[in-house]
Amino acid sequence: LGCISSSRPTWSSKREWKPLEDRSCTDIPWLLLFVLFCIGMGFICGFSVATGAAARLVSGYDSYGNICGQRNAKLEAIANSGLDHTHRKYVFFLDPCNLDLINRKIKSMALCVAACPRQELKTLSDVQKFAEINGSALCSYNIKPSEYTLTAKSSAFCPKLPVPASAPIPFFHRCAPVNISCYAKFAEALITFVSDNSVLHRLISGVMTSKEIILGLCLLSLVLSMILMVIIRYISRVLVWILTILVILGSLGGTGVLWWLYAKQRRSPKETVIPEQLQIAEDNLRALLIYAISATVFTVILFLIMLVMRKRVALTIALFHVAGKVFIHLPLLVFQPFWTFFALVLFWAYWIMTLLFLGTTGSAVQNEQGFVEYKISGPLQYMWWYHVVGLIWISEFILACQQMTVAGAVVTYYFTRDKRNLPFTPILASVNRLIRYHLGTVAKGSFIITLVKIPRMILMYIHSQLKGKENACARCMLKSCICCLWCLEKCLSYLNQNAYTATAINSTNFCTSAKDAFVILVENALRVAAINTVGDFMLFLGKVLIVCSTGLAGIMLLNYQQDYTVWVLPLIIVCLFAFLVAHCFLSIYEMVVDVLFLCFAIDTKYNDGSPGREFYMDKVLMEFVENSRKAMKEAGKGGAADARELKPMVGASAQGPGRPLASK
């Protein structure tokens, strides 16, 4: 590793310390443990590939254990195995819509065929003609194409009629139906709360026919998020008031438009509507009423919250101004969600691929229907659990790396007095420090979150399996445990983020950093409430603005789209995606605010603005906290911790960036 661990003074010590200058590796044992765990994940993937699972997954195999597209060896005591399928490269299911959701498989005989039927085949004669023309037999290997219409076995060993038109799935050589009705039936099995299956068919149809508009609205939410980040960067002083006014206008406008559309459609004559479209019109009218009532309730609640917090809105302006300066000096911070999302997508793709490998690995066994399945026996069957834990831990590790990277870059900005001495790319410098020194700290912090997530997910699974079977007391206990674990996870996530900031400042291990960060946060509890709560609320308003804007655009487009069915589900999908995109971008801004606050709290604890102990902070930030102190004091909530006068930076230009901070 090339690092020498050293005993470093913490904030509570009496020795001087230099932020960002003296680095040492932290939590090396946890880094080694994480590396060993990743090696285990690689072993699972290698084992599944080595046992032939990769070929069975990509090429597919029939119900007799033969891999399509190659010669096969004979399997003991299994009929029709060991066939030559060199020219039969596709897997065809006789009844592709017969799904077994419990065992996650298709309950149908699978055959290797030379071509997928591109057009619907309505009779056995059509199936026979398809086999004669294309050389692709769709019935069992024991039946010749000339016997399809003559033998009684055709009902059991030929595809279910009518045979839907299908196309091969790219890279996986499976014939999949191109008609959405099969997928609608699959969704019916998944969604148990829909009593009327025809409604679900119309919902699925609405999504499929509106995919272009859904894609366009998702891109609109991405553009709006980027625009909001630019606004935060350049006009942070007026951003709070702009957001407040726009949210008020947006919520009022959206609510008014919904009620207007509801009244308009209710007054429209139903005699002109054809009978087939009458049910669709009634569903849309009912959806508009639900949306209008929900928007009204949301608008009232939002106004009440803004009325309570109106006196603290002005305090947030100064904080956003300082954070805006950070984005001016560190423009690459805006792109952090892209890199994190890209890393998560790559890992999730690897994880899903390995999961599919595990589903086709093992030894060939016959089920009760006489078909071949591949199952793992012995201790290796528990690799599933290891793989699931890896999904949680490594995903949390990637997110924690983002937090450490952002914290390191902002800490570099804050504790560099002369901003002209900043590194050329503080983000890359922070990534370099993360890789060289602090991967162990990130691994330990993400593992703690994993330890809390796993029990909560197990309890949620138990609760879903026992739904309707457990008594009221057991249901209450389960929900209470799930809620407590969720709260603990959120608290630990917030503490972890501040611990990463402390590690970026002082290069201490995770436990020491978490303890010191906790002490700092407790000492500044009122400031945390005044700054973080108001700041997070304003960022939440930004998310609401993006969702409302995207949703309003979706309502207008979907309402005037003539070839639509029910557009409830497309609108929900668009709004959820818009919130996800806005959350990814604005969470970076929220992270910067939290890091700035912790840096400020440490700065005020060990410096008082006197010569030799000048503040590192920006003057605007000092004015902000002073205003916060006055506001809390006027409300009768001021404390002795805020009674100290904050003096402006003195002689900052005379002190170089390497000047140590002295403890009191």
Side-chain angles (χ1 to χ4, degrees), residues 72-238:
N72 296 275
K74 177 72 175 178
L75 299 178
E76 185 178 356
I78 296 179
N80 291 329
S81 63
L83 300 180
D84 184 5
H85 286 330
T86 305
H87 301 290
R88 300 173 178 175
K89 299 181 179 181
Y90 302 102
V91 179
F92 175 77
F93 296 96
L94 301 189
D95 187 6
C97 296
N98 188 6
L99 304 170
D100 183 2
L101 296 179
I102 297 178
N103 296 316
R104 300 176 300 277
K105 62 182 181 181
I106 299 177
K107 295 171 59 178
S108 169
M109 178 186 292
L111 301 174
C112 293
V113 298
C116 301
R118 299 285 182 157
Q119 296 179 348
E120 185 181 53
L121 306 177
K122 298 182 179 181
T123 63
L124 285 176
S125 299
D126 294 338
V127 176
Q128 180 179 357
K129 185 177 181 180
F130 176 80
E132 293 173 350
I133 295 177
N134 298 279
S136 181
L138 302 183
C139 294
S140 178
Y141 305 133
N142 299 326
I143 305 177
K144 297 180 180 179
S146 59
E147 301 176 353
Y148 286 177
T149 57
L150 302 177
T151 179
K153 296 181 180 180
S154 300
S155 59
F157 296 99
C158 284
K160 181 180 178 181
L161 298 175
V163 180
S166 59
I169 301 176
F171 307 109
F172 289 98
H173 302 88
R174 268 80 167 176
C175 296
V178 297
N179 196 315
I180 65 171
S181 61
C182 187
Y183 306 122
K185 293 179 181 179
F186 175 73
E188 289 171 12
L190 287 178
I191 305 175
T192 57
F193 63 84
V194 177
S195 57
D196 185 5
N197 290 338
S198 62
V199 175
L200 186 60
H201 277 276
R202 291 196 298 272
L203 290 175
I204 300 297
S205 177
V207 173
M208 297 301 295
T209 56
S210 61
K211 53 184 181 293
E212 293 84 4
I213 292 183
I214 292 177
L215 180 60
L217 291 173
C218 291
L219 292 177
L220 175 63
S221 65
L222 180 63
V223 173
L224 290 177
S225 299
M226 295 292 292
I227 292 175
L228 186 58
M229 291 297 295
V230 174
I231 293 176
I232 291 175
R233 174 179 173 181
Y234 289 105
I235 57 172
S236 57
R237 284 187 177 275
V238 297

Side-chain angles (χ1 to χ4, degrees), residues 427-456:
I427 290 290
L428 296 182
S430 180
V431 171
N432 178 54
R433 288 195 300 270
L434 167 65
I435 296 174
R436 293 181 60 187
Y437 303 111
H438 303 313
L439 284 178
T441 298
V442 171
K444 186 174 183 179
S446 57
F447 181 76
I448 292 175
I449 301 298
T450 304
L451 288 182
V452 181
K453 272 184 177 290
I454 292 177
R456 182 170 67 86

